[in-house]
Coordinates of all heavy atoms in Angstrom, one line a residue:
M161 N 0.8 -1.2 0.0 CA 0.0 0.0 0.0 C 0.9 1.2 0.0 O 1.9 1.3 0.7 CB -0.9 0.0 1.2 CG -2.0 0.9 1.2 SD -3.2 0.4 2.5 CE -4.6 1.2 1.8
T162 N 0.6 2.2 -0.8 CA 1.4 3.4 -0.9 C 0.8 4.5 -0.1 O -0.4 4.6 0.1 CB 1.5 3.9 -2.4 OG1 0.2 4.2 -2.8 CG2 2.1 2.8 -3.3
A163 N 1.7 5.4 0.4 CA 1.3 6.5 1.2 C 0.8 7.6 0.3 O 1.4 7.8 -0.8 CB 2.4 7.0 2.1
V164 N -0.2 8.4 0.7 CA -0.7 9.5 -0.1 C -0.4 10.7 0.7 O -0.6 10.9 1.9 CB -2.2 9.3 -0.3 CG1 -2.8 10.5 -1.1 CG2 -2.5 8.0 -1.0
A165 N 0.1 11.7 0.0 CA 0.5 13.0 0.6 C -0.4 14.1 0.0 O -0.7 14.1 -1.2 CB 1.9 13.3 0.4
Y166 N -0.8 15.0 0.7 CA -1.6 16.2 0.3 C -0.9 17.4 0.6 O -0.3 17.6 1.6 CB -3.0 16.2 0.9 CG -3.8 15.0 0.5 CD1 -3.9 13.9 1.4 CD2 -4.5 15.0 -0.7 CE1 -4.7 12.8 1.0 CE2 -5.3 13.9 -1.0 CZ -5.3 12.8 -0.2 OH -6.1 11.7 -0.6
D167 N -1.0 18.4 -0.3 CA -0.4 19.7 -0.1 C -1.6 20.7 0.1 O -2.4 20.9 -0.8 CB 0.4 20.1 -1.3 CG 1.1 21.5 -1.1 OD1 1.3 21.9 0.1 OD2 1.4 22.1 -2.1
V168 N -1.7 21.2 1.3 CA -2.8 22.2 1.6 C -2.2 23.6 1.7 O -1.3 23.8 2.5 CB -3.5 21.7 2.9 CG1 -4.6 22.7 3.3 CG2 -4.0 20.3 2.8
Q169 N -2.8 24.5 1.0 CA -2.4 25.9 1.0 C -3.5 26.7 1.8 O -4.7 26.5 1.5 CB -2.3 26.4 -0.4 CG -1.2 25.7 -1.2 CD 0.2 25.9 -0.6 OE1 0.5 26.9 -0.1 NE2 0.9 24.8 -0.7
I170 N -3.1 27.5 2.7 CA -4.1 28.3 3.5 C -4.3 29.7 2.8 O -3.3 30.4 2.5 CB -3.6 28.5 4.9 CG1 -3.4 27.2 5.6 CG2 -4.5 29.5 5.7 CD1 -2.8 27.2 6.9
D171 N -5.5 30.0 2.6 CA -5.9 31.3 2.0 C -6.3 32.2 3.1 O -7.4 32.2 3.6 CB -7.0 31.1 1.0 CG -7.4 32.4 0.3 OD1 -6.8 33.5 0.6 OD2 -8.2 32.3 -0.7
R172 N -5.3 33.0 3.6 CA -5.6 33.9 4.7 C -6.7 34.9 4.5 O -7.5 35.2 5.4 CB -4.3 34.6 5.1 CG -3.2 33.6 5.6 CD -2.1 34.3 6.3 NE -1.0 33.4 6.6 CZ -1.0 32.5 7.6 NH1 -2.0 32.5 8.4 NH2 0.1 31.7 7.8
E173 N -6.8 35.4 3.3 CA -7.9 36.3 3.0 C -9.3 35.7 3.1 O -10.2 36.2 3.7 CB -7.8 36.9 1.6 CG -6.8 38.0 1.5 CD -7.2 39.2 2.4 OE1 -8.3 39.7 2.4 OE2 -6.3 39.7 3.1
A174 N -9.4 34.4 2.7 CA -10.7 33.7 2.8 C -11.0 33.4 4.3 O -12.1 33.5 4.7 CB -10.6 32.4 2.0
I175 N -10.0 33.1 5.1 CA -10.2 32.9 6.5 C -10.7 34.2 7.2 O -11.6 34.2 8.0 CB -8.9 32.4 7.2 CG1 -8.6 31.0 6.7 CG2 -9.0 32.4 8.7 CD1 -7.3 30.4 7.2
K176 N -10.0 35.3 6.8 CA -10.5 36.6 7.4 C -11.9 36.9 7.0 O -12.7 37.4 7.8 CB -9.6 37.7 6.9 CG -8.2 37.8 7.5 CD -7.4 38.9 7.0 CE -6.0 38.8 7.5 NZ -5.1 39.9 6.9
E177 N -12.3 36.6 5.8 CA -13.6 36.9 5.3 C -14.6 36.0 6.0 O -15.7 36.4 6.4 CB -13.7 36.6 3.8 CG -15.0 36.9 3.2 CD -15.1 36.6 1.7 OE1 -14.0 36.8 1.0 OE2 -16.1 36.2 1.2
A178 N -14.3 34.7 6.2 CA -15.1 33.8 6.9 C -15.3 34.2 8.4 O -16.4 34.2 8.9 CB -14.6 32.4 6.9
L179 N -14.2 34.6 9.1 CA -14.3 35.1 10.4 C -15.2 36.3 10.5 O -16.0 36.5 11.5 CB -12.9 35.4 11.0 CG -12.1 34.1 11.4 CD1 -10.7 34.6 11.8 CD2 -12.8 33.3 12.5
S180 N -15.1 37.2 9.6 CA -15.9 38.4 9.6 C -17.4 38.1 9.4 O -18.2 38.6 10.1 CB -15.5 39.3 8.4 OG -16.3 40.4 8.3
L181 N -17.6 37.1 8.6 CA -19.0 36.6 8.4 C -19.6 36.0 9.7 O -20.7 36.3 10.1 CB -19.1 35.7 7.2 CG -20.5 35.1 7.0 CD1 -21.5 36.2 6.6 CD2 -20.4 34.0 5.9
F182 N -18.8 35.2 10.3 CA -19.2 34.5 11.6 C -19.4 35.6 12.7 O -20.4 35.5 13.4 CB -18.2 33.5 12.0 CG -18.2 32.2 11.2 CD1 -17.0 31.6 10.8 CD2 -19.4 31.7 10.8 CE1 -17.0 30.5 10.1 CE2 -19.4 30.5 10.0 CZ -18.2 29.9 9.7
E183 N -18.6 36.6 12.7 CA -18.8 37.6 13.7 C -20.1 38.4 13.4 O -20.8 38.8 14.4 CB -17.6 38.6 13.8 CG -16.4 37.9 14.4 CD -15.1 38.8 14.2 OE1 -15.2 39.9 13.6 OE2 -14.0 38.4 14.7
F184 N -20.4 38.6 12.2 CA -21.6 39.3 11.8 C -22.8 38.5 12.1 O -23.8 39.0 12.6 CB -21.6 39.6 10.3 CG -22.8 40.2 9.8 CD1 -23.2 41.5 10.0 CD2 -23.7 39.4 9.0 CE1 -24.4 42.0 9.5 CE2 -24.9 39.9 8.5 CZ -25.2 41.2 8.8
L185 N -22.7 37.2 11.9 CA -23.9 36.3 12.2 C -24.1 36.2 13.7 O -25.3 35.9 14.1 CB -23.7 35.0 11.6 CG -23.7 34.9 10.1 CD1 -23.3 33.6 9.6 CD2 -25.1 35.3 9.6
G186 N -23.1 36.3 14.5 CA -23.2 36.2 16.0 C -23.7 34.8 16.4 O -23.1 33.8 16.2
G187 N -24.9 34.8 17.0 CA -25.5 33.5 17.5 C -25.8 32.5 16.4 O -26.1 31.4 16.7
N188 N -25.9 32.9 15.2 CA -26.2 32.0 14.1 C -25.0 31.4 13.4 O -25.1 30.8 12.4 CB -27.0 32.8 13.0 CG -28.4 33.3 13.5 OD1 -29.0 32.6 14.3 ND2 -28.8 34.4 13.0
S189 N -23.9 31.4 14.1 CA -22.7 30.8 13.5 C -22.8 29.3 13.3 O -22.3 28.8 12.4 CB -21.4 31.2 14.3 OG -21.5 30.7 15.6
A190 N -23.6 28.7 14.2 CA -23.8 27.2 14.1 C -24.6 26.9 12.8 O -24.3 26.0 12.1 CB -24.5 26.7 15.3
D191 N -25.6 27.8 12.5 CA -26.3 27.6 11.3 C -25.5 27.9 10.0 O -25.5 27.2 9.0 CB -27.5 28.5 11.2 CG -28.7 28.0 12.1 OD1 -28.7 26.8 12.4 OD2 -29.5 28.9 12.6
A192 N -24.6 28.9 10.1 CA -23.7 29.2 9.0 C -22.7 28.1 8.8 O -22.5 27.8 7.6 CB -23.0 30.5 9.3
L193 N -22.2 27.5 9.8 CA -21.3 26.4 9.7 C -22.0 25.2 9.0 O -21.5 24.5 8.1 CB -20.7 26.0 11.0 CG -19.7 24.9 11.0 CD1 -18.5 25.2 10.2 CD2 -19.3 24.6 12.5
R194 N -23.3 24.9 9.4 CA -24.0 23.8 8.9 C -24.2 24.1 7.4 O -24.1 23.2 6.5 CB -25.4 23.7 9.6 CG -26.3 22.6 9.0 CD -27.7 22.6 9.7 NE -28.3 23.9 9.8 CZ -29.0 24.5 8.8 NH1 -29.1 24.0 7.7 NH2 -29.5 25.7 9.1
V195 N -24.6 25.3 7.0 CA -24.8 25.6 5.6 C -23.5 25.4 4.8 O -23.5 24.9 3.7 CB -25.4 27.0 5.4 CG1 -25.3 27.5 4.0 CG2 -26.8 27.1 6.0
A196 N -22.4 25.9 5.4 CA -21.1 25.8 4.7 C -20.7 24.4 4.5 O -20.2 24.0 3.4 CB -20.0 26.5 5.5
I197 N -20.9 23.5 5.5 CA -20.6 22.1 5.3 C -21.4 21.5 4.2 O -20.9 20.7 3.4 CB -20.8 21.4 6.7 CG1 -19.7 21.8 7.7 CG2 -20.8 19.9 6.5 CD1 -20.0 21.3 9.1
N198 N -22.7 21.7 4.3 CA -23.6 21.1 3.3 C -23.4 21.6 1.9 O -23.6 20.9 0.9 CB -25.1 21.3 3.7 CG -25.5 20.5 4.9 OD1 -24.8 19.6 5.3 ND2 -26.5 21.0 5.6
K199 N -22.9 22.8 1.8 CA -22.6 23.4 0.4 C -21.3 22.9 -0.2 O -21.3 22.6 -1.4 CB -22.6 24.9 0.5 CG -22.7 25.6 -0.8 CD -23.1 27.0 -0.6 CE -23.4 27.6 -1.9 NZ -24.4 28.6 -1.9
T200 N -20.3 22.7 0.7 CA -19.0 22.2 0.2 C -18.8 20.7 0.1 O -18.0 20.2 -0.6 CB -17.9 22.9 1.0 OG1 -18.0 22.5 2.4 CG2 -17.9 24.4 0.9
G201 N -19.6 20.0 0.9 CA -19.5 18.6 1.0 C -19.5 17.8 -0.3 O -18.6 17.1 -0.6
P202 N -20.5 18.1 -1.2 CA -20.6 17.4 -2.5 C -19.4 17.7 -3.4 O -18.9 16.9 -4.1 CB -21.9 17.9 -3.1 CG -22.7 18.2 -1.9 CD -21.8 18.8 -0.9
K203 N -18.9 19.0 -3.3 CA -17.8 19.4 -4.1 C -16.5 18.7 -3.6 O -15.7 18.3 -4.5 CB -17.6 20.9 -4.0 CG -18.7 21.7 -4.6 CD -18.6 23.2 -4.5 CE -19.8 23.9 -5.0 NZ -19.8 25.3 -4.8
V204 N -16.3 18.5 -2.3 CA -15.2 17.8 -1.8 C -15.2 16.4 -2.2 O -14.2 15.8 -2.5 CB -15.1 18.0 -0.3 CG1 -14.0 17.1 0.3 CG2 -14.8 19.5 0.1
R205 N -16.4 15.8 -2.1 CA -16.6 14.4 -2.5 C -16.2 14.1 -3.9 O -15.5 13.2 -4.3 CB -18.1 14.0 -2.3 CG -18.4 12.5 -2.5 CD -19.8 12.2 -2.1 NE -20.1 10.9 -2.3 CZ -20.8 10.4 -3.4 NH1 -21.2 11.2 -4.3 NH2 -21.0 9.1 -3.5
T206 N -16.6 15.0 -4.8 CA -16.3 14.9 -6.2 C -14.8 15.1 -6.4 O -14.2 14.3 -7.2 CB -17.0 16.0 -7.1 OG1 -18.4 15.8 -6.9 CG2 -16.7 15.9 -8.5
A207 N -14.2 16.0 -5.8 CA -12.7 16.2 -5.9 C -12.0 15.0 -5.4 O -11.0 14.6 -5.9 CB -12.3 17.5 -5.1
A208 N -12.4 14.5 -4.3 CA -11.8 13.3 -3.7 C -11.9 12.1 -4.7 O -10.9 11.4 -4.9 CB -12.4 12.9 -2.4
S209 N -13.0 11.9 -5.3 CA -13.3 10.9 -6.2 C -12.3 11.0 -7.4 O -11.7 10.0 -7.8 CB -14.7 10.9 -6.7 OG -14.9 9.9 -7.7
K210 N -12.2 12.2 -7.9 CA -11.2 12.4 -9.1 C -9.8 12.2 -8.7 O -9.0 11.6 -9.4 CB -11.4 13.9 -9.6 CG -12.6 14.1 -10.3 CD -12.7 15.6 -10.8 CE -14.0 15.8 -11.5 NZ -14.1 17.2 -12.0
A211 N -9.4 12.6 -7.4 CA -8.1 12.3 -7.0 C -7.8 10.8 -6.8 O -6.7 10.3 -7.2 CB -7.8 13.1 -5.7
I212 N -8.7 10.1 -6.3 CA -8.6 8.7 -6.1 C -8.5 8.0 -7.5 O -7.6 7.2 -7.7 CB -9.8 8.1 -5.3 CG1 -9.7 8.6 -3.8 CG2 -9.8 6.6 -5.4 CD1 -10.9 8.3 -3.0
R213 N -9.3 8.4 -8.4 CA -9.3 7.8 -9.7 C -8.1 8.1 -10.5 O -7.7 7.4 -11.4 CB -10.6 8.1 -10.5 CG -11.8 7.4 -9.9 CD -13.1 7.7 -10.7 NE -13.6 9.0 -10.4 CZ -13.7 9.9 -11.4 NH1 -13.5 9.7 -12.6 NH2 -14.2 11.1 -11.0
G214 N -7.4 9.3 -10.1 CA -6.2 9.6 -10.7 C -5.0 8.8 -10.3 O -4.0 8.6 -11.0
E215 N -5.2 8.2 -9.1 CA -4.1 7.3 -8.6 C -4.3 5.9 -8.9 O -3.3 5.1 -9.0 CB -4.0 7.5 -7.0 CG -3.6 8.9 -6.6 CD -2.2 9.2 -6.9 OE1 -1.4 8.3 -6.8 OE2 -1.9 10.4 -7.3
V216 N -5.5 5.4 -8.9 CA -5.8 4.0 -9.2 C -6.8 3.9 -10.3 O -7.6 4.8 -10.5 CB -6.3 3.2 -7.9 CG1 -5.1 3.2 -6.9 CG2 -7.5 3.9 -7.3
R217 N -6.8 2.8 -10.9 CA -7.8 2.6 -12.0 C -9.1 2.0 -11.5 O -9.3 0.8 -11.5 CB -7.1 1.7 -13.1 CG -7.8 1.6 -14.4 CD -7.1 0.8 -15.4 NE -7.9 0.6 -16.5 CZ -7.6 -0.3 -17.5 NH1 -6.5 -1.0 -17.4 NH2 -8.4 -0.4 -18.5
L218 N -10.0 2.9 -11.2 CA -11.3 2.5 -10.7 C -12.3 3.3 -11.4 O -12.0 4.4 -11.9 CB -11.4 2.7 -9.2 CG -10.5 1.9 -8.3 CD1 -10.6 2.4 -6.9 CD2 -10.8 0.4 -8.4
T219 N -13.5 2.8 -11.6 CA -14.6 3.5 -12.2 C -15.1 4.6 -11.3 O -15.1 4.4 -10.0 CB -15.7 2.6 -12.7 OG1 -16.3 2.0 -11.5 CG2 -15.2 1.5 -13.6
A220 N -15.7 5.6 -11.8 CA -16.3 6.7 -11.0 C -17.5 6.1 -10.2 O -17.6 6.5 -9.0 CB -16.8 7.8 -11.9
S221 N -18.3 5.2 -10.8 CA -19.4 4.7 -10.0 C -18.9 3.8 -8.8 O -19.5 3.9 -7.7 CB -20.3 3.9 -10.9 OG -19.6 2.7 -11.4
Y222 N -17.8 3.1 -9.0 CA -17.3 2.3 -7.9 C -16.8 3.2 -6.7 O -17.2 3.0 -5.6 CB -16.2 1.4 -8.4 CG -15.6 0.6 -7.2 CD1 -16.2 -0.6 -6.8 CD2 -14.4 1.0 -6.6 CE1 -15.6 -1.4 -5.8 CE2 -13.9 0.2 -5.6 CZ -14.5 -1.0 -5.2 OH -14.0 -1.7 -4.1
V223 N -16.0 4.2 -7.1 CA -15.5 5.1 -6.1 C -16.6 5.9 -5.4 O -16.7 6.1 -4.2 CB -14.5 6.1 -6.7 CG1 -14.0 7.1 -5.7 CG2 -13.3 5.3 -7.2
G224 N -17.6 6.3 -6.2 CA -18.7 7.1 -5.7 C -19.6 6.3 -4.7 O -20.1 6.8 -3.8
D225 N -19.7 5.0 -5.0 CA -20.4 4.1 -4.1 C -19.7 4.0 -2.7 O -20.3 3.8 -1.7 CB -20.6 2.7 -4.7 CG -21.6 2.7 -5.8 OD1 -22.4 3.7 -5.9 OD2 -21.7 1.7 -6.6
K226 N -18.4 4.1 -2.7 CA -17.6 3.9 -1.5 C -17.5 5.2 -0.7 O -17.2 5.1 0.5 CB -16.2 3.3 -1.8 CG -16.2 2.0 -2.6 CD -16.8 0.9 -1.8 CE -16.8 -0.4 -2.6 NZ -17.6 -1.4 -2.0
L227 N -17.6 6.3 -1.4 CA -17.5 7.6 -0.7 C -18.9 8.0 -0.2 O -19.8 7.9 -0.9 CB -16.9 8.7 -1.6 CG -15.5 8.6 -2.0 CD1 -15.1 9.7 -3.0 CD2 -14.6 8.6 -0.8
S228 N -18.9 8.5 1.0 CA -20.2 9.0 1.5 C -20.1 10.4 2.1 O -19.0 10.7 2.6 CB -20.8 8.0 2.5 OG -20.0 8.0 3.7
F229 N -21.1 11.1 2.1 CA -21.2 12.4 2.7 C -22.4 12.5 3.5 O -23.5 12.3 3.0 CB -21.1 13.5 1.6 CG -21.4 14.9 2.2 CD1 -20.5 15.5 3.1 CD2 -22.6 15.5 1.9 CE1 -20.8 16.7 3.6 CE2 -22.9 16.8 2.4 CZ -22.0 17.4 3.2
K230 N -22.3 12.7 4.8 CA -23.5 12.9 5.6 C -23.7 14.3 5.9 O -22.9 15.1 6.4 CB -23.2 12.2 7.0 CG -24.4 12.2 7.9 CD -24.2 11.4 9.1 CE -25.4 11.4 10.0 NZ -25.2 10.7 11.3
R231 N -24.9 14.8 5.5 CA -25.2 16.2 5.6 C -25.3 16.6 7.1 O -25.8 15.9 7.9 CB -26.5 16.5 4.9 CG -26.4 16.2 3.4 CD -27.7 16.6 2.6 NE -28.0 18.0 2.7 CZ -27.5 18.9 1.9 NH1 -26.6 18.6 1.1 NH2 -27.9 20.2 2.0
A232 N -24.9 17.8 7.3 CA -24.9 18.4 8.7 C -26.4 18.8 9.0 O -27.0 19.4 8.1 CB -24.0 19.6 8.8
T233 N -26.8 18.5 10.2 CA -28.2 19.0 10.6 C -28.1 19.8 11.9 O -27.0 19.8 12.5 CB -29.1 17.7 10.8 OG1 -28.5 16.9 11.9 CG2 -29.2 16.9 9.6
R234 N -29.2 20.3 12.3 CA -29.2 21.1 13.5 C -29.1 20.1 14.7 O -28.6 20.4 15.7 CB -30.5 21.9 13.7 CG -30.5 23.0 12.7 CD -31.8 23.8 13.0 NE -31.8 24.9 12.0 CZ -32.5 26.0 12.1 NH1 -33.2 26.2 13.2 NH2 -32.5 26.9 11.2

């Protein structure tokens, strides 16, 4: 089994913008976080599927069946 490495870059401007939004929302930050998770989850799932299929020869449907995303709720 081979090790997989990821390179993550931090976008400081995006973090400042997100913090500003959370401060503006105040008590609704839990709702904002839930919305953010639910909005980005499917995009992350798709990106992960493409990355996996780029490393190993698997069909999109096979990888898609194995990846799951559970939506955030209140």
Side-chain angles (χ1 to χ4, degrees):
M161 195 163 199
T162 60
V164 179
Y166 295 98
D167 183 25
V168 177
Q169 301 295 323
I170 297 173
D171 184 352
R172 295 192 188 281
E173 278 301 312
I175 291 174
K176 286 180 186 177
E177 183 179 329
L179 285 174
S180 172
L181 178 62
F182 286 138
E183 288 172 358
F184 173 74
L185 292 172
N188 294 327
S189 61
D191 285 336
L193 183 59
R194 177 183 49 82
V195 169
I197 289 170
N198 290 339
K199 196 163 188 146
T200 58
K203 294 175 185 178
V204 171
R205 185 175 180 262
T206 301
S209 175
K210 286 181 182 178
I212 291 168
R213 288 183 287 121
E215 295 293 320
V216 293
R217 191 175 172 192
L218 298 170
T219 64
S221 62
Y222 178 82
V223 174
D225 288 344
K226 302 297 179 191
L227 290 177
S228 65
F229 169 68
K230 185 175 180 182
R231 297 183 64 79
T233 61
R234 288 185 183 201

